[in-house]
């Protein structure tokens, strides 16, 4: 069975569960993309690296679109 099939079958019988993602899958998750949880940080040799931002969101202090260092 696929992960999606197992999650669906287990949830159908009342077992709360979800997929366990590797790093690549986590960065590709639609919710992660929608919330902007990953953002680029400049690296002098490697170019932009995608890093995880703080999960804390304060309306008076919005998250910048990029890390500056």
């Amino acid at each position: 069975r696929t992960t999606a099939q197992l999650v669906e079958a287990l949830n159908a019988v009342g077992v709360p569960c979800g997929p366990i993602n590797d790093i690549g899958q986590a960065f590709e998750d639609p919710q992660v993309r929608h919330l902007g949880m990953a953002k680029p940080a400049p690296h002098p040799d490697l170019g932009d690296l995608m890093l995880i931002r703080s999960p804390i969101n304060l309306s008076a202090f919005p998250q910048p679109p990029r890390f500056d260092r």
Side-chain angles (χ1 to χ4, degrees), residues 34-58:
H34 173 75
L35 294 174
M37 293 300 298
K39 62 182 182 177
H43 187 280
D45 298 323
L46 302 175
D48 283 347
L49 300 175
M50 293 304 289
L51 302 176
I52 303 294
R53 70 166 177 80
S54 171
I56 299 170
N57 293 306
L58 303 172

